[in-house]
Amino acid sequence: MSARMERLIRIYNRLRRGPVTIEIIKHWTDSVGIEVSSRQLYRDLITLQSLQIAEGENVVEFVDEKNRKTWKLEYEDGLENISQYDINSFFLLKNFAPATIVQQRRASINKFEQIIYKAFSKSKYQQFIQANELYLHRTNFFAQLYDEAEHQLIEDYIWALHNNRMIVIESVGINSANMHVTESDFPLALQPMQLVFHRGRTYMAGFNNMEKLIIFPIDRNTRFHLTNTKFNRKNLTDSFHEKMGLLFGISDPIDDQVYDIEIEYTKAYGESWMRYFWHHSQQWRQLENGNYMLHLQCSIGRELVGFLGYGLDKIKVHRPQLLKDMLVEKAQRMVDLHEQDLPIDEQEANKMY
């Protein structure tokens, strides 16, 4: 097969995913290692218009009001019932999905893109395709980077969720939720309840045999095996949602208490943070001095203390006294570390929670 014919077939297969402009197809050829000029790509697309490579499929050219050309495949049995809002919604999901999912599952995502496009090829799918293909960007900041090992763990965990099977966790590599477990607790039997996505990382969440909420990240150094032991998820669902709902984030709480929490924010800092979701109990109230008071009803754990640490001197804990004391102790410890050039110590850092 000649190099040009092979290139035409590859371009045609790219058209099966969706419409292209010269800029889009050039971006794609560069990304897959096809060395070809924009001028030649234009000629290739013109050639494909004159061919019918597959029954019921036609390469069609459109010219918009700015004289920009777009090429797309039209399928003779395509549907029309789709709006530009629907198209943009799909591309937002595709382009802003977590990097942990997209990078290893790109081929699967492309399959669904092809199926969606085939169903709606006769719609106005080509409109604004330039923005959707080239100009939606995800920074991946604070996103866990996964490889095939983590995705195989995700597949195994989903199987356990789907089949109501217990798993046995043999060891964990990291403990970012600060679960209060020791090496002697492993192997740890878990009744899996949910796969949770939190701050750029996926977690397995469920109950141990004592109905303690357990949350560990999916990580390449996490080891667990599947079992054929069934459990009754229905009997645990209400308790699981209740316990998850009391957490601030996913951190293991310091005790079983639910605290009435009040945190004052400076005006500008509060206005930037109140536009985020932090906990379902959150209530913001503006004070007479212009500042804002955040009210929470939740447990106290490492993630809440870290959340307050972002604010430095732009926040002030009003209650409870326990949280005030924890924040003061943490702040003093940080000052001592730097002023006295003390060594940092994991056990010392975690002792209060």
Side-chain angles (χ1 to χ4, degrees):
M1 182 186 299
S2 69
R4 182 165 187 258
M5 183 57 68
E6 181 179 352
R7 186 176 68 249
L8 286 171
I9 292 173
R10 292 186 69 182
I11 292 171
Y12 190 83
N13 285 330
R14 171 58 185 82
L15 284 167
R16 291 179 184 275
R17 277 179 44 201
V20 300
T21 60
I22 288 295
E23 291 83 358
I24 290 171
I25 198 67
K26 185 66 170 71
H27 177 76
W28 173 78
T29 55
D30 290 345
S31 68
V32 297
I34 299 176
E35 296 185 5
V36 59
S37 68
S38 297
R39 185 180 296 274
Q40 182 58 53
L41 284 170
Y42 181 83
R43 290 195 288 265
D44 289 345
L45 288 163
I46 296 299
T47 298
L48 288 172
Q49 282 182 249
S50 64
L51 302 174
Q52 188 171 44
I53 294 179
E55 186 73 24
E57 299 178 4
N58 301 288
V59 177
V60 180
E61 175 190 303
F62 289 87
V63 181
D64 65 18
E65 67 277 5
K66 295 183 179 179
N67 204 33
R68 181 170 54 195
K69 290 182 170 61
T70 303
W71 289 265
K72 72 172 184 176
L73 268 182
E74 276 196 354
Y75 297 85
E76 292 181 1
D77 58 350
L79 302 176
E80 189 69 33
N81 186 24
I82 187 173
S83 69
Q84 188 61 47
Y85 188 88
D86 298 326
I87 295 168
N88 287 340
S89 297
F90 168 75
F91 275 97
L92 286 170
L93 289 172
K94 174 194 168 188
N95 288 290
F96 292 165
T100 52
I101 304 301
V102 172
Q103 290 179 354
Q104 287 293 324
R105 297 176 184 260
R106 192 172 302 279
S108 298
I109 292 170
N110 287 344
K111 285 181 185 178
F112 280 102
E113 184 176 357
Q114 181 177 335
I115 291 168
I116 291 169
Y117 172 55
K118 185 173 182 178
F120 300 113
S121 66
K122 288 188 176 181
S123 70
K124 298 178 180 180
Y125 199 95
Q126 73 279 359
Q127 290 186 356
F128 307 111
I129 196 72
Q130 192 87 344
N132 286 326
E133 282 283 353
L134 298 180
Y135 308 138
L136 300 182
H137 176 67
R138 177 185 59 243
T139 68
N140 297 329
F141 183 80
F142 213 69
Q144 175 90 0
L145 300 179
Y146 280 178
D147 58 22
E148 292 182 11
E150 283 91 354
H151 279 271
Q152 185 55 55
L153 290 176
I154 290 173
E155 291 296 309
D156 291 342
Y157 191 73
I158 290 175
W159 180 90
L161 288 169
H162 180 72
N163 292 283
N164 294 340
R165 296 297 203 279
M166 294 182 66
I167 67 171
V168 176
I169 303 174
E170 298 152 10
S171 63
V172 294
I174 53 178
N175 184 3
S176 51
N178 204 35
M179 290 290 111
H180 298 147
V181 295
T182 64
E183 289 188 12
S184 63
D185 292 312
F186 296 96
L188 190 156
L190 184 76
Q191 300 166 100
M193 297 296 294
Q194 283 184 346
L195 183 68
V196 177
F197 187 76
H198 179 67
R199 298 180 73 187
R201 178 182 280 161
T202 52
Y203 292 80
M204 45 188 178
F207 284 129
N208 68 5
N209 288 331
M210 303 297 292
E211 289 196 28
K212 172 179 169 54
L213 182 60
I214 299 292
I215 304 174
F216 284 120
I218 298 288
D219 180 75
R220 69 193 66 183
N221 294 319
T222 298
R223 298 287 180 266
F224 68 80
H225 65 263
L226 304 171
T227 76
N228 284 319
T229 305
K230 285 194 171 185
F231 69 97
N232 191 327
R233 175 178 281 106
K234 185 177 180 180
N235 290 344
L236 300 172
T237 299
D238 289 345
S239 176
F240 175 79
H241 288 307
E242 179 184 358
K243 291 184 178 182
M244 284 289 289
L246 296 179
L247 299 180
F248 186 89
I250 58 168
S251 292
D252 206 7
I254 59 171
D255 53 35
D256 295 329
Q257 300 298 310
V258 177
Y259 292 90
D260 289 318
I261 298 168
E262 288 187 342
I263 308 154
E264 184 178 353
Y265 284 70
T266 60
K267 184 177 184 299
Y269 191 64
E271 287 174 348
S272 66
W273 283 65
M274 67 194 302
R275 288 170 171 78
Y276 291 90
F277 175 84
W278 302 110
H279 190 263
H280 64 84
S281 68
Q282 68 187 45
Q283 293 182 1
W284 293 87
R285 174 173 60 89
Q286 191 162 24
L287 305 175
E288 291 183 2
N289 63 4
N291 291 345
Y292 289 91
M293 187 73 79
L294 169 62
H295 297 258
L296 298 168
Q297 282 193 312
C298 60
S299 60
I300 293 176
R302 180 166 66 182
E303 205 162 354
L304 177 57
V305 176
F307 167 78
L308 298 175
Y310 281 116
L312 297 174
D313 57 347
K314 294 181 179 180
I315 65 102
K316 178 182 177 180
V317 176
H318 283 244
R319 66 173 182 170
Q321 187 64 41
L322 171 67
L323 184 57
K324 247 188 197 183
D325 294 342
M326 291 176 72
L327 200 61
V328 169
E329 184 178 340
K330 271 292 176 188
Q332 187 59 56
R333 174 68 178 165
M334 184 189 68
V335 170
D336 292 345
L337 283 173
H338 291 85
E339 287 189 344
Q340 301 176 35
D341 197 23
L342 299 175
I344 57 174
D345 179 81
E346 185 93 35
Q347 189 172 357
E348 180 68 22
N350 288 338
K351 72 178 183 180
M352 68 170 60
Y353 38 55

